Amino acid sequence: AVVSTQSTGKDVLIDCIPTEDNYLVRIGHRIPSSDFLKLWRNYDQDHSGFLELKELQLLVKDFAQLVGEDVQEEELCESLEELMNEFDINKDGRLELEELSHIMSVEDNFMKAFCNRSYLTRKDFDQIFAHYDTDNTGYLDKEEVMALLNDILKFHETKDTHIPVPVLKEVYKEVMKACDTDNSNTIQKCELALLLTSM
């Protein structure tokens, strides 16, 4: 059961069955960082940079629904308490981006393979773009750009941890000012070179 007191919070989430029309589509597998940030944005409804109790309740309820469980209030409280005990590292009663990444199975930093190179080939650019364009639209939307920036910034952090959301938002704004040359609020393939060389 999703909210069994015998399973850990991580087991509750990772054992979920993927569905096609849910933000949690790839949970149970290693999810790309862009999907992870989309999931974060979906549940961080007040854009505070944290998942607070009511937002975590929604997250747990959605996971329970994925496996067809009807979560009772008491079970929900137990499940949330279990999650917070295990994953709220700084014990502030809410989850940060980095703490949530310990619950989800987020892929390794894709940019590690590229950040130390003195130059990037056309093939490198194509691979990077294809990796972060997770919905195959031919451009990088806000979450996809933020995922790319998060991975680049993480590479330069000694602990390789997720960048706090407020910091990531500020970097995103600056990068878009410099690199979104057509003011589309997206990064086109031709703008990716400008973005990568600016980092």
Side-chain angles (χ1 to χ4, degrees), residues 2-33:
V2 168
V3 285
S4 166
T5 55
Q6 296 168 333
S7 58
T8 67
K10 189 170 185 177
D11 292 334
V12 167
L13 300 179
I14 299 303
D15 289 341
C16 288
I17 300 168
T19 63
E20 287 186 6
D21 24 327
N22 192 295
Y23 275 97
L24 314 176
V25 61
R26 294 184 182 156
I27 302 306
H29 309 282
R30 292 184 72 75
I31 60 172
S33 53

Side-chain angles (χ1 to χ4, degrees), residues 9-180:
K10 189 170 185 177
D11 292 334
V12 167
L13 300 179
I14 299 303
D15 289 341
C16 288
I17 300 168
T19 63
E20 287 186 6
D21 24 327
N22 192 295
Y23 275 97
L24 314 176
V25 61
R26 294 184 182 156
I27 302 306
H29 309 282
R30 292 184 72 75
I31 60 172
S33 53
S34 56
D35 284 353
F36 176 62
L37 287 173
K38 285 177 185 178
L39 183 143
W40 176 270
R41 186 173 176 196
N42 183 54
Y43 290 100
D44 181 19
Q45 296 178 334
D46 60 1
H47 308 291
S48 65
F50 303 94
L51 292 188
E52 293 156 6
L53 188 60
K54 64 179 183 175
E55 295 162 334
L56 288 169
Q57 286 174 336
L58 288 173
L59 178 67
V60 172
K61 280 183 180 179
D62 282 354
F63 274 112
Q65 287 175 356
L66 278 175
V67 293
E69 292 287 334
D70 181 24
V71 182
Q72 302 302 315
E73 195 64 33
E74 184 181 338
E75 293 173 313
L76 180 61
C77 290
E78 288 174 8
S79 187
L80 288 172
E81 185 178 343
E82 210 172 288
L83 278 173
M84 296 308 288
N85 285 339
E86 188 168 349
F87 297 106
D88 181 17
I89 298 164
N90 61 5
K91 304 300 179 195
D92 63 354
R94 54 194 185 173
L95 290 183
E96 298 174 11
L97 190 66
E98 178 64 20
E99 291 168 333
L100 185 64
S101 75
H102 293 294
I103 297 172
M104 307 300 172
S105 184
V106 182
E107 70 179 2
D108 292 333
N109 188 341
F110 184 77
M111 290 304 293
K112 277 185 181 178
F114 303 99
C115 283
N116 272 339
R117 297 186 185 178
S118 55
Y119 68 93
L120 296 174
T121 66
R122 177 66 184 195
K123 184 179 177 184
D124 294 338
F125 279 106
D126 289 344
Q127 284 182 328
I128 292 168
F129 191 86
H131 180 79
Y132 289 96
D133 181 20
T134 57
D135 52 8
N136 299 310
T137 55
Y139 58 82
L140 303 183
D141 64 22
K142 182 176 182 178
E143 284 84 10
E144 292 165 341
V145 173
M146 287 181 71
L148 171 61
L149 294 174
N150 186 57
D151 285 351
I152 291 170
L153 295 171
K154 273 172 58 179
F155 177 79
H156 297 291
E157 291 286 318
T158 53
K159 295 179 182 176
D160 193 32
T161 58
H162 286 275
I163 306 305
V165 173
V167 173
L168 196 54
K169 284 180 179 177
E170 283 305 310
V171 173
Y172 170 80
K173 285 180 193 173
E174 293 304 312
V175 165
M176 293 304 283
K177 278 183 202 172
C179 303
D180 181 19

